[in-house]
Amino acid sequence: MGRSPRKDLLAGLTVAVVALPLALGFGISSGAGAEAGLATAVVAGALAAVFGGSNLQVSGPTGAMTVVLVPIVARYGTGGMLTVGLLAGVVLVALALLRVGRWMAYVPVPVVEGFTLGIAAVIALQQVPGALGVKKPDGDNPAVVAARAVADFTAAPHWAALALALAVAAVMLVGVHLRPALPFSLIAVVAATLVARFADLPVATIGHLPAGLPAPSLGFLDLSAVPALLPSALAVAALAALESLMSATAADAMSVSERHDSDRELFGQGLANLAAPLFGGVAATGAIARTAVNVRSGAVSRLAALVHAAVLAVIVFAAAPLVAGIPLAALAGVLIATAVRMVEVGSLRALARAGRGEAAVLALTAAATLAFDLVTAVVTGLLVSGALALAAVARAARIEQVPLHEDLPPADHHDEEQALLAEHIVAYRIDGPLLFAAAHRFLLELTASAEVKVAILRMSRVSAVDSSGATVLGDAITALQRRGTLVLISGVRDEHHRTLDALGILDQLRAAGQVFAATPDAIAYARTHLARGQAPTESTLTATGASR
């Protein structure tokens, strides 16, 4: 485990210093309390470090998960939130056993950036009441709640709370550019706590924290409520899987030789989420910010993440009275700065320049995150990205007329015979995927060709065929035959026969000997056919569609 224990110890201590205010802030922001955030960081952080699939990942409460948990706590209470976390752990373990982890890599970058932007906006909006020193207004939408908080602040301003929040956020944002290695979040929180205490500022603080973790218990579990909570649990599990694997991938990119195991990572996160609720913790995921700090601090093994959890455990047991005096406004400032740092302006500009489609997916995902929830946003982004990808694939498919001499050696025919063949035979090469999105255009292009006696459809470059594309191919063959054109097929790939044969597209052509492995064979057949002066037989005039 410890290829360089000293590096891991220092990295773990550094991450713990950074994680402390985040764990407190995310616990409070979720509605479960600061102690829930600390319990999650300790329990989930340790279990995910041991059983997860990344040597460098650091897990705990995150802003993205907080966004999902807030409405769950508001609707079902703390007990419902703990049950959702437990159920999400079961789902994550099941996903790991089903080896679903590898598919998470296919989430498009615009979707990831869009939902990250949306999360950052939601986190910042959620902190507005705490930063203004007002009680959180009722409401589910964070923008509406923030607007109501501003109205309450305007009626009765709390300048001390606002000053602390802005000062903490400013110190973090400026400090990270001046001295990135220093834990400015903790420095700012400690300074704000001292100022609030010695200046006797009228600001709310965290308040009493239990000295230690509670005994594990399933007392919160109400089996009768499980069916109603299951949709929320699926949403939490989906977010935990997505964010954890994104974080593990980021850790791989920042290291030299590390590569995570996606399915093992899901398994570790599943165990972490099964255990955290037993100690009163919220749902956990891999934390991108803390993982990045861990890697940049020189971590080389899982020991660093374990040290991070152990240091936080010591704080829970030994320093709870000190933590209790931290102003809530200071933690709001920490999370506002964290939200600002989540937004990678360079990445957003690059995606905007990449094309209107990518920019639209990013904007739509971010808007859906604000208007609805993260899972709805990701699903929406995936659907739009899929539609755009299919449209791009469809545009890549094309059909073009090619000269016959491409497939015949020059010595095979005299120039007169070549010209004669070219007058009566047309070869079409189909390139790319023949899918439903491209099928209609394919039919129009093919059947709009000039009158010829023989049409050779070269299919060796067709990369994919679905049932819609196969059906349209059959319709095109029928249209050509009804005009008196003999249709020959060449170069069908082995992997495409299943779809074509299932629909009977080539059955009659094959029975008539009009399907060939190579184009020269098809040309030779066409030459013989023209020499005999034969018209297409009656059997070929009946479309394959008649047999379908």
Side-chain angles (χ1 to χ4, degrees):
M1 174 180 283
R3 288 176 290 176
S4 183
R6 182 175 177 275
K7 287 185 177 180
D8 286 327
L9 289 172
L10 290 175
L13 179 60
T14 303
V15 176
V17 169
V18 173
L20 175 60
L22 293 176
L24 295 170
F26 288 137
I28 293 171
S29 184
S30 70
E35 61 273 19
L38 284 175
T40 305
V42 173
V43 176
L47 286 174
V50 174
F51 295 101
S54 171
N55 290 327
L56 304 176
Q57 177 95 286
V58 178
S59 300
T62 63
M65 188 59 72
T66 299
V67 172
V68 175
L69 294 178
V70 167
I72 295 175
V73 174
R75 184 173 181 181
Y76 300 107
T78 303
M81 181 268 296
L82 296 176
T83 303
V84 165
L86 189 71
L87 294 174
V90 174
V91 173
L92 286 169
V93 171
L95 292 177
L97 296 178
L98 293 173
R99 305 186 67 80
V100 174
R102 70 194 72 179
W103 298 104
M104 292 294 177
Y106 293 97
V107 178
V109 171
V111 175
V112 174
E113 292 292 342
F115 111 109
T116 302
L117 177 61
I119 288 169
V122 172
I123 292 173
L125 290 171
Q126 286 178 341
Q127 307 318 308
V128 170
L132 297 178
V134 301
K135 182 180 178 181
K136 181 181 177 183
D138 294 331
D140 294 328
N141 187 280
V144 174
V145 172
R148 291 173 179 170
V150 171
D152 293 343
F153 175 82
T154 303
H158 299 270
W159 298 109
L162 179 59
L164 283 179
L166 293 178
V168 169
V171 168
M172 287 182 60
L173 294 174
V174 174
V176 74
H177 292 290
L178 298 178
R179 297 291 296 274
L182 293 180
F184 279 99
S185 59
L186 185 63
I187 293 173
V189 168
V190 170
T193 303
L194 294 175
V195 168
R197 180 175 180 181
F198 290 109
D200 196 22
L201 297 180
V203 293
T205 61
I206 290 177
H208 173 72
L209 284 177
L213 296 176
S217 171
L218 278 173
F220 60 85
L221 183 60
D222 180 6
L223 294 178
S224 63
V226 168
L229 295 173
L230 191 56
S232 298
L234 293 175
V236 168
L239 177 59
L242 180 63
E243 189 173 14
S244 297
L245 294 179
M246 283 170 48
S247 177
T249 301
D252 291 346
M254 288 185 287
S255 60
V256 177
S257 58
E258 292 294 336
R259 290 296 177 268
H260 73 280
D261 182 329
S262 297
D263 295 313
R264 181 177 173 183
E265 181 62 28
L266 291 183
F267 183 75
Q269 295 296 334
L271 294 183
N273 281 284
L274 279 170
L278 304 182
F279 296 89
V282 300
T285 75
I288 296 177
R290 275 156 277 179
T291 298
V293 171
N294 192 41
V295 177
R296 291 167 183 160
S297 300
V300 293
S301 76
R302 300 168 186 267
L303 179 59
L306 280 173
V307 170
H308 140 268
V311 171
L312 292 178
V314 170
I315 293 173
V316 169
F317 282 97
L322 297 177
V323 173
I326 296 176
L328 296 179
L331 293 179
V334 169
L335 298 188
I336 289 173
T338 301
V340 172
R341 292 179 59 188
M342 286 175 64
V343 180
E344 296 287 347
V345 177
S347 297
L348 297 180
R349 287 176 178 170
L351 285 173
R353 290 194 299 265
R356 288 179 295 178
E358 285 80 359
V361 171
L362 188 153
L364 182 62
T365 306
T369 302
L370 279 169
F372 304 106
D373 57 70
L374 294 185
V375 175
T376 301
V378 171
V379 171
T380 301
L382 287 175
L383 290 175
V384 175
S385 295
L388 292 175
L390 279 176
V393 168
R395 289 193 296 270
R398 66 183 188 276
I399 180 170
E400 61 179 322
Q401 183 176 336
V402 294
L404 296 178
H405 63 74
E406 283 191 5
D407 298 284
L408 291 176
D412 265 18
H413 305 283
H414 299 295
D415 291 341
E416 294 81 1
E417 188 176 6
Q418 290 273 12
L420 180 63
L421 290 172
E423 285 184 14
H424 300 287
I425 304 175
V426 175
Y428 296 98
R429 185 174 62 207
I430 308 171
D431 291 335
L434 190 56
L435 306 176
F436 73 92
H440 182 66
R441 179 166 56 84
F442 164 80
L443 176 63
L444 292 177
E445 291 181 14
L446 184 59
T447 56
S449 61
E451 296 288 342
V452 294
K453 293 184 178 180
V454 181
I456 300 174
L457 304 185
R458 298 172 51 182
M459 300 185 63
S460 60
R461 294 192 183 182
V462 174
S463 57
V465 179
D466 68 357
S467 58
S468 297
T471 301
V472 170
L473 175 63
D475 292 340
I477 293 171
T478 299
L480 289 171
Q481 290 174 334
R482 284 176 176 167
R483 284 164 36 178
T485 300
L486 176 67
V487 179
L488 307 178
I489 304 290
S490 71
V492 179
R493 294 185 182 182
D494 292 340
E495 63 267 27
H496 299 158
H497 278 293
R498 180 176 180 179
T499 301
L500 295 171
D501 292 346
L503 297 174
I505 301 300
L506 303 180
D507 287 355
Q508 294 190 21
L509 293 181
R510 188 180 289 111
Q514 296 169 3
V515 178
F516 303 91
T519 302
D521 297 333
I523 295 174
Y525 182 95
R527 183 179 58 185
T528 303
H529 168 79
L530 291 175
R532 293 176 180 174
Q534 294 178 348
T537 63
E538 184 66 26
S539 63
T540 62
L541 291 174
T542 59
T544 55
S547 65
R548 296 195 299 275

